[in-house]
Amino acid sequence: MTTEISQIVYPRIEGTDVLFTAEFIEYLQAMHELFSDRVSRSRLDRQNTLEQAHSEGYNSLRIPETEANTGDWVVDPVPDELRLPGIEISGPASIPSMFINALNPGPEGERAVGYLDDDEDSSGHSFSDTVNSALNRLHAVERTLRYEDQSRGRVYELAPGKLPFFMHRERGLHLDEPEVKIGGRPVSATILSTALTLFHAGQAQIARGEGIYFYLPKLESVEEAVIYRDFFDASRDHLNFSQDAVIKAIILVESLPTVFRMENMLHGLGPYGAGLNAARWDLKASILEYVMSDPTSVWPDRFDVDIKTTEFISNIFRRLVAICLKRGAVAIGGMATALPSRDQDINRIAAESIRRDKKWEAEQGFLRGWSAHIYHMKTASDPFIEWWGTGWQPTKDMKDPKNYPINIDIPDGDITIEGTRRNVRTIIEYVEGWLNGRGAKGIDSMEGRDGKRPALMEDLATARISVGQVAQRIIHNAGARDTNETHSFSLVKRIIDSETADILNIREPVVEANEYSQLEFRYRASRKITLRWINNYTDMNFRSLGSYTKADLDKIASDPDAF
């Protein structure tokens, strides 16, 4: 059922009667009127920037120095809790059981210091996900969030004690929410989800004396940071927030343009700027997209591109930290994605890898990182707490961004068919989960093969770089060191078919017959969507999976193969 009030149209689903009040609709319409055109222009600017980089090279992304780089400004005071070392647990905000688990203590009895409640790339990018995220956030802030899983006979409730602080991550500026229209025009997904959070959970947080904190994903320009600043300003005025109400935002550095502009963008957030986050897969994917047309910039297997040993990426992250140290902001590191296993040897392997990674981040000056699962939360948290607990202070050189110039190089490593095969399997598995309503999924890209390794909780960023890497190899007919084959559409299609068949062969014996038919249907559809997604990238069309409606994906699944 669709509800139409004045100029706004939206589906009436469970939760909209609570969220879409007359007061909220008035606020949403006001924000849409103020910002929709600016959001649209920012998308055109992005496309122009990308095309210029393809024709002139990535150095076209550099911008002239301004007062943002040369002045002695610092960010407005950052709340004490945002300066705590440790770990932030992350997960889709739309799933109440996962939301509650993330807020509760882990196996060792300790809570994370923060919770990244995500309506972006670990969520399903749907209207229902955004509605459920807004409800879960509100109920969590009010300490009333509860979920009963009748199929498993399990009740999820918040444990007593102080909760982690909330870091809300909304959908990016590149996306619309097609199911919500004002005056016949789709509403920006960012405007919708951010407005829902500020109006409901945000006002509840203010009433409790809590700050409202956001991660800002997929930004690419200073103007986009200014859009957020102006949005927060307008929302404060419209909602009559008190002068002492705190709104802070941390920019995710997950696009190549942002790498060149992060200091200017932090400055552009004005009083709301609190820090920068060092993204991984999304940043690498963005780099690939910006060098996609360059035959001299074909990357080796992504699995071997370690931020700790790939110097130009390490330098980007050290520059990020230097900017934060120089400007009084906080630097947040990346994600520990390993999932727990029944095999304790695998858990030990995962824990050793996580500890090395987080120890490196702490030593660079990062204050916290993220963990995808509570099982490894303490392992990921301890290196930050231990390092900052020594009283360590960064050196003067670490505070100067000029010591870390930006250069984009080709990482060391081999191009292999094995790497392409693992990328393909990741895409197929991820899209199957997407079609089943999940934005994050545990994936072992070498499932069924010898060796011990953890499955990883993968979100849209991992699928994105996997698509980009496969497409880049097709575009430039990259040779494979392990088999001496040349990448082509026909070779990649054979790999896609082989991996789809292998996955189904593994699943069929362990899935009930009535469930297998649905699962097989999703994997067959995933195969079609994988072909289309890769084909799009070879045409320099980097459209996000999150921009496709269910009807779009159903049509792709029924259309002839893209190649």
Side-chain angles (χ1 to χ4, degrees):
M1 180 178 179
T2 298
T3 296
E4 183 169 350
I5 301 177
S6 181
Q7 292 256 304
I8 185 170
V9 178
Y10 61 91
R12 187 171 181 179
I13 62 175
E14 185 176 357
T16 54
D17 56 336
V18 175
L19 299 174
F20 281 71
T21 62
E23 293 81 5
F24 171 74
I25 289 172
E26 180 189 6
Y27 163 54
L28 178 63
Q29 289 175 319
M31 296 303 104
H32 174 78
E33 180 70 22
L34 284 171
F35 295 102
S36 58
D37 287 345
R38 289 174 65 179
V39 171
S40 296
R41 286 196 297 271
S42 76
R43 296 172 186 170
L44 292 175
D45 290 342
R46 287 183 179 201
Q47 185 60 33
N48 292 336
T49 299
L50 177 67
E51 290 173 2
Q52 184 178 10
H54 283 173
S55 62
E56 300 177 16
Y58 73 82
N59 280 312
S60 65
L61 301 174
R62 300 183 189 272
I63 60 176
E65 282 196 342
T66 69
E67 193 272 337
N69 311 107
T70 60
D72 59 0
W73 63 275
V74 294
V75 299
D76 279 17
V78 175
D80 290 344
E81 60 186 348
L82 291 187
R83 293 195 178 278
L84 291 173
I87 205 72
E88 295 172 21
I89 190 73
S90 74
S94 58
I95 302 176
S97 58
M98 295 181 72
F99 203 122
I100 292 166
N101 281 343
L103 293 176
N104 282 341
E108 296 86 0
E110 299 179 13
R111 278 183 158 107
V113 294
Y115 172 42
L116 192 175
D117 56 275
D118 189 25
D119 187 36
E120 202 228 359
D121 278 1
S122 69
S123 195
H125 283 287
S126 71
F127 179 62
S128 61
D129 281 310
T130 293
V131 167
N132 289 331
S133 295
L135 284 172
N136 291 337
R137 287 165 171 163
L138 173 61
H139 295 153
V141 170
E142 294 175 335
R143 281 33 174 192
T144 59
L145 185 59
R146 182 181 184 275
Y147 177 70
E148 184 173 351
D149 186 341
Q150 295 183 349
S151 66
R152 301 174 64 186
R154 182 173 177 182
V155 175
Y156 296 81
E157 295 179 301
L158 294 174
K162 179 177 171 56
L163 297 185
F165 58 78
F166 296 92
M167 292 296 307
H168 309 304
R169 185 165 74 169
E170 315 294 356
R171 296 167 72 187
L173 287 168
H174 59 299
L175 297 173
D176 284 329
E177 176 42 69
E179 295 200 67
V180 181
K181 294 182 172 69
I182 296 177
R185 179 179 179 182
V187 172
S188 155
T190 302
I191 292 174
L192 174 64
S193 57
T194 309
L196 280 166
T197 298
L198 285 168
F199 190 92
H200 293 289
Q203 293 195 90
Q205 287 183 280
I206 291 171
R208 298 180 66 92
E210 299 173 357
I212 312 170
Y213 311 140
F214 292 93
Y215 278 119
L216 308 183
K218 306 294 187 291
L219 267 66
E220 297 197 6
S221 70
V222 177
E223 168 57 20
E224 292 177 5
V226 174
I227 288 174
Y228 274 101
R229 182 193 69 197
D230 294 346
F231 188 95
F232 293 143
D233 277 343
S235 295
R236 291 182 74 103
D237 290 343
H238 190 98
L239 300 175
N240 295 314
F241 284 0
S242 62
Q243 287 296 313
D244 59 355
V246 176
I247 303 174
K248 294 294 179 183
I250 294 174
I251 295 170
L252 276 66
V253 180
E254 53 187 358
S255 76
L256 186 54
T258 298
V259 167
F260 291 95
R261 304 162 185 184
M262 49 188 160
E263 187 169 23
N264 308 70
M265 292 166 70
L266 184 62
H267 183 266
L269 281 177
Y272 305 107
L276 301 169
N277 162 259
R280 296 197 178 185
W281 286 135
D282 262 318
L283 176 58
K284 294 173 187 175
S286 178
I287 294 172
L288 280 184
E289 290 168 8
Y290 273 85
V291 302
M292 188 69 71
S293 62
D294 181 2
T296 67
S297 296
V298 181
W299 274 31
D301 296 352
R302 66 176 175 88
F303 310 95
D304 299 328
V305 183
D306 189 329
I307 63 162
K308 299 184 291 297
T309 56
T310 305
E311 188 61 24
F312 82 93
I313 299 179
S314 299
N315 234 32
I316 290 171
F317 289 174
R318 293 184 184 113
R319 184 181 180 87
L320 181 157
V321 170
I323 290 168
C324 288
L325 294 173
K326 176 183 176 183
R327 303 304 184 184
V330 297
I332 309 299
M335 182 78 76
T337 60
L339 295 173
S341 169
R342 292 188 177 91
D343 187 327
Q344 290 307 310
D345 287 341
I346 292 177
N347 289 332
R348 279 191 290 272
I349 291 168
E352 290 168 4
S353 175
I354 290 168
R355 184 167 182 83
R356 281 195 306 272
D357 189 69
K358 298 306 156 195
K359 182 174 183 291
W360 182 88
E361 285 187 327
E363 289 172 352
Q364 309 313 306
F366 288 99
L367 197 59
R368 289 188 299 279
W370 298 338
S371 177
H373 198 282
I374 58 172
Y375 183 88
H376 291 297
M377 188 167 66
K378 189 174 189 311
T379 300
S381 177
D382 283 350
F384 294 104
I385 294 173
E386 292 165 2
W387 182 255
W388 288 97
T390 64
W392 172 81
Q393 292 295 317
T395 66
K396 182 179 178 180
D397 285 346
M398 292 177 70
K399 301 178 183 180
D400 186 354
K402 292 182 179 178
N403 290 326
Y404 309 105
I406 301 166
N407 292 295
I408 306 302
D409 301 321
I410 310 305
D412 293 333
D414 294 330
I415 297 171
T416 69
I417 294 299
E418 173 66 11
T420 299
R421 187 175 294 279
R422 291 179 65 187
N423 278 323
V424 163
R425 195 180 193 99
T426 298
I427 304 163
I428 295 168
E429 286 283 15
Y430 182 80
V431 173
E432 184 277 331
W434 185 275
L435 296 174
N436 200 27
R438 299 193 302 263
K441 181 180 179 180
I443 298 173
D444 175 5
S445 63
M446 294 191 289
E447 183 182 9
R449 303 186 193 185
D450 292 339
K452 293 190 173 186
R453 63 203 161 262
L456 305 178
M457 182 63 82
E458 306 288 23
D459 71 4
L460 185 52
T462 317
R464 177 188 176 194
I465 190 173
S466 298
V467 170
Q469 180 140 83
V470 174
Q472 187 187 43
R473 294 176 175 192
I474 294 172
I475 291 168
H476 301 295
N477 301 122
R481 182 166 182 177
D482 54 342
T483 66
N484 292 321
E485 293 173 282
T486 298
H487 283 82
S488 64
F489 282 112
S490 59
L491 172 63
V492 167
K493 187 171 186 177
R494 288 199 302 273
I495 293 173
I496 291 171
D497 289 342
S498 171
E499 290 300 301
T500 303
D502 187 57
I503 292 168
L504 290 173
N505 286 338
I506 291 173
R507 299 285 179 271
E508 187 171 16
V510 296
V511 176
E512 295 290 336
N514 61 328
E515 295 180 6
Y516 179 76
S517 62
Q518 297 177 29
L519 182 139
E520 182 183 19
F521 178 83
R522 289 196 302 273
Y523 275 112
R524 299 291 182 197
S526 175
R527 170 193 170 276
K528 288 283 194 86
I529 294 164
T530 296
L531 288 163
R532 174 65 63 85
W533 200 358
I534 292 170
N535 191 64
N536 284 353
Y537 263 61
T538 63
D539 291 333
M540 305 298 168
N541 172 6
F542 305 139
R543 181 179 175 183
S544 170
L545 183 65
S547 69
Y548 288 88
T549 65
K550 182 180 184 301
D552 292 333
L553 296 178
D554 287 345
K555 185 175 186 306
I556 293 170
S558 63
D559 281 347
D561 291 351
F563 62 86

